Amino acid sequence: DQQVKQNSPSLSVQEGRISILNCDYTNSMFDYFLWYKKYPAEGPTFLISISSIKDKNEDGRFTVFLNKSAKHLSLHIVPSQPGDSAVYFCAARDTTSGTYKYIFGTGTRLKVLA
Amino acid sequence: NAGVTQTPKFQVLKTGQSMTLQCAQDMNHNSMYWYRQDPGMGLRLIYYSASEGTTDKGEVPNGYNVSRLNKREFSLRLESAAPSQTSVYFCASSASLSGIEKLFFGSGTQLSVL
């Protein structure tokens, strides 16, 4: 039972345009959300995060939006660059058991076309 | 400052063999995690440790054991490897830095079980 879902396995975007990656979750106990980027043969690297008490967080070209009522978050990349081509994972912090653990989605492969 | 270091980087095992994946972090983080990455499945949490001396099961713990040897080290053991355990394994540690929660990942261990 996937608690964090990324329903689009892949996405292609033209260079300079906006990339929008989506993520849905089911557990209302998730209180913090993170986005990670992963290149082949490397570990995931942190991109941006957002607390459940906020609805938007921005860092340079990256903006994350959180809609708690819909249990949905999205990552916007503007403008998209070829170097952004990678697999993107969203993750949620689960505090249900009293300790912190991070549950990841299945990932979206972004391809930015030059 | 090496961050999160995993050894080995590659390993081939025969079914039934045992091995231990090593992970160490030099950032003085309390929490550490083991994930596996499989095509179409994203990153799935195997075990985690909220602090030295404690470990908890994640989403897919069957067939694995872990040891939190000290604050720095968190090892993952496969007692009797199975082909279904062929995967890329990532170790991570987490911290809150300036109010931002982050997971820091190692570069991964690619394991094949024949």
Side-chain angles (χ1 to χ4, degrees), chain A residues 2 32 34 36 38 41-44 46 49 89 93 97 99-107, chain B residues 33 35 37 40-43 45 48 50 56 59 90 94 99-107:
Chain A
Q2 196 79 24
Y32 201 87
L34 307 89
Y36 275 77
K38 187 182 180 305
E42 295 183 9
F46 174 82
S49 61
F89 292 100
R93 188 173 73 177
S97 61
T99 55
Y100 294 162
K101 61 184 179 184
Y102 294 84
I103 307 299
F104 281 75
T106 51
Chain B
Y33 310 81
Y35 290 89
Q37 184 192 8
M41 304 295 288
L43 291 159
L45 181 63
Y48 65 106
D56 286 289
E59 302 167 277
F90 290 99
S94 68
I100 299 174
E101 297 288 328
K102 284 187 182 182
L103 279 169
F104 298 83
F105 283 86
S107 57

Side-chain angles (χ1 to χ4, degrees), chain B residues 61-109:
Chain B
N62 291 344
Y64 304 96
N65 286 303
V66 290
S67 295
R68 184 74 183 269
L69 306 170
N70 47 55
K71 194 170 187 179
R72 288 187 66 248
E73 298 172 290
F74 187 38
S75 61
L76 179 72
R77 182 160 178 84
L78 288 71
E79 290 291 351
S80 178
S84 61
Q85 293 177 306
T86 293
S87 188
V88 181
Y89 292 84
F90 290 99
C91 177
S93 64
S94 68
S96 178
L97 304 171
S98 303
I100 299 174
E101 297 288 328
K102 284 187 182 182
L103 279 169
F104 298 83
F105 283 86
S107 57
T109 296

Side-chain angles (χ1 to χ4, degrees), chain A residues 10-91:
Chain A
S10 63
L11 175 68
S12 290
V13 170
Q14 209 63 34
E15 181 180 6
R17 306 294 293 270
I18 184 170
S19 294
I20 300 176
L21 293 88
N22 294 303
C23 181
D24 297 294
Y25 62 95
T26 58
N27 190 337
S28 58
M29 294 296 290
F30 292 164
D31 70 341
Y32 201 87
F33 302 89
L34 307 89
W35 282 95
Y36 275 77
K37 177 179 180 179
K38 187 182 180 305
Y39 293 119
E42 295 183 9
T45 55
F46 174 82
L47 262 181
I48 192 169
S49 61
I50 188 167
S51 166
S52 61
I53 63 173
K54 296 186 176 180
D55 55 19
K56 178 182 174 181
N57 188 27
E58 200 169 349
D59 184 1
R61 296 187 297 116
F62 302 95
T63 303
V64 56
F65 296 92
L66 175 62
N67 183 333
K68 279 186 67 178
S69 60
K71 293 190 177 69
H72 176 83
L73 64 154
S74 60
L75 174 68
H76 292 209
I77 306 174
V78 183
S80 301
Q81 299 172 354
D84 295 330
S85 297
V87 178
Y88 289 78
F89 292 100
C90 68

